[in-house]
Amino acid sequence: MLWPRRSFARSARYFSRRVLRLTATPHAVAAGVAAGAFASFLPYMGFHFFIAAGLAWLMRGNLIASALGTAVGNPITFPFIWGCSLGLGRYMLQGTEPGEVVPLQLGRVLTELDFALLWEPLLKPMTVGGAMLGALCGLIFYLLTYWAVGLFREQRRKRLADKARQRAHPALTQPAR
């Protein structure tokens, strides 16, 4: 279920082409992808689509692009994202090199539904660190997507102009016999 049928490269090409073909301004597509990438760095599993859609709406981004941008966070990248965001968040909040993470008694947290037991040692630093890393990643994805959408549309415009020219003057495009 988590492993793609063909390959990860094919899945990545599919998502990138899907983003490039969206009918919106380059800013809207790039802002949507950036919002999705940002949301992937936050520790709120199950809410990434909603966070990305809200951010995309605020930035006048494309909602479909924001959903596709959340693919930055996936089962392969989440361990790295969570580890980096937890480490950075603990460093930012404590100001020094953080010590070991105190093991959580997840069973107790879930049975008592005490959010405070989970917030202070885990979610708060992951939110702070994830927001910083997500902002950086979102900026990078915005710039790359904006550039890629502009380049894709320029190449497509040229390709369609060549086809129209060939249809209008078929004798000019055929090789001499």
Side-chain angles (χ1 to χ4, degrees), residues 135-146:
L136 177 63
C137 182
L139 177 65
I140 291 168
F141 268 87
Y142 178 86
L143 295 172
L144 287 174
T145 305
Y146 191 88

Side-chain angles (χ1 to χ4, degrees), residues 146-165:
Y146 191 88
W147 171 78
V149 168
L151 184 65
F152 176 80
R153 290 185 179 172
E154 181 63 26
Q155 288 175 348
R156 184 176 177 161
R157 187 192 59 76
K158 287 179 183 177
R159 194 172 54 246
L160 290 175
D162 287 343
K163 282 185 180 183
R165 201 173 314 116

Side-chain angles (χ1 to χ4, degrees), residues 23 26 48 82 105 112 127 168:
T23 55
H48 289 161
W82 292 337
Q105 296 176 353
E112 295 177 12
T127 300

Side-chain angles (χ1 to χ4, degrees), residues 77-150:
T77 60
F78 276 141
F80 301 107
I81 289 172
W82 292 337
C84 291
S85 64
L86 178 63
L88 179 62
R90 291 182 76 215
Y91 181 77
M92 290 176 69
L93 291 173
Q94 295 175 1
T96 60
E97 186 65 33
E100 286 188 24
V101 177
V102 178
L104 292 173
Q105 296 176 353
L106 195 55
R108 182 173 156 226
V109 171
L110 293 176
T111 56
E112 295 177 12
L113 294 175
D114 191 1
F115 186 72
L117 292 175
L118 198 57
W119 173 253
E120 197 61 41
L122 193 62
L123 289 179
K124 183 178 177 182
M126 285 181 77
T127 300
V128 171
M132 293 297 122
L133 292 173
L136 177 63
C137 182
L139 177 65
I140 291 168
F141 268 87
Y142 178 86
L143 295 172
L144 287 174
T145 305
Y146 191 88
W147 171 78
V149 168

